[in-house]
Amino acid sequence: MKLSPDSTFPLIVLMTCAELFTFVTAHSTNIPQGKQGLQMLYQDMSVLLKLVSQERDRNEMTDFEQSLTSLPLLNYRTEDLKSLEVSSTLGQLYSGIKSFKFHLDWIHQNQEEMGLDYLQTNKLDDRIQIITQLALKQIGTAPSELVYPSLSPLNTAWNLYQANVEILDKLYFFCNWYIRALRVLKHRQQ
């Protein structure tokens, strides 16, 4: 099924709503809070980092201009780890991981339209969904509704490849930072 460029954004919104319904109706009472919840979040972020690393290794990284300005920015320094607060860090983790999920859904949709394999995108997507639920449980209430940008359709396999590589590259550094942050937060709660 070939979709017009005008139908891309509504389809992504519809997919997000379906996942939100699944999340709201799922039984998440087994997710612990506090230090144990941070430990689970840390472990799941480590698994995500491993998946992203494997996927990055599969893709030959080439030098090209990165153009996805809608991805979360990481402007953190090592000394910022000293002043982390649980609620703000988890809120930033939640909104950042939701943004990556939005972008991966966009990649997935374009892979499907081009008839390409998207098994790896699904693995990343599944892990991100788990992390989203864990982070939300730790926060307690969902942050204000996130606003997502309109993303252009990817017209060629090369454009799709470039966008995928850029998302994986930034997700790799995002995971690295938040694994370090979660480790610090866990140790503070001992």
Side-chain angles (χ1 to χ4, degrees), residues 1 55 59 106-122 154-164:
M1 177 172 108
E55 189 63 17
N59 291 318
W106 173 63
I107 290 292
H108 173 93
Q109 178 190 355
N110 281 277
Q111 288 170 326
E112 193 172 33
E113 288 173 7
M114 290 183 191
L116 301 172
D117 177 36
Y118 48 86
L119 178 63
Q120 293 304 318
T121 307
N122 280 344
L154 299 167
N155 299 324
T156 66
W158 175 245
N159 293 129
L160 178 62
Y161 173 80
Q162 286 180 306
N164 193 43

Side-chain angles (χ1 to χ4, degrees), residues 120-178:
Q120 293 304 318
T121 307
N122 280 344
K123 286 181 183 178
L124 293 173
D125 200 46
D126 291 345
R127 184 56 52 182
I128 285 175
Q129 189 64 25
I130 291 168
I131 291 167
T132 301
Q133 291 175 6
L134 285 170
L136 190 57
K137 180 68 175 179
Q138 297 304 304
I139 295 168
T141 59
S144 58
E145 186 61 33
L146 303 173
V147 178
Y148 297 111
S150 178
L151 298 172
S152 306
L154 299 167
N155 299 324
T156 66
W158 175 245
N159 293 129
L160 178 62
Y161 173 80
Q162 286 180 306
N164 193 43
V165 166
E166 183 175 353
I167 291 167
L168 290 172
D169 194 43
K170 290 187 177 176
L171 182 55
Y172 175 82
F173 292 109
F174 179 89
C175 290
N176 266 317
W177 170 258
Y178 280 98

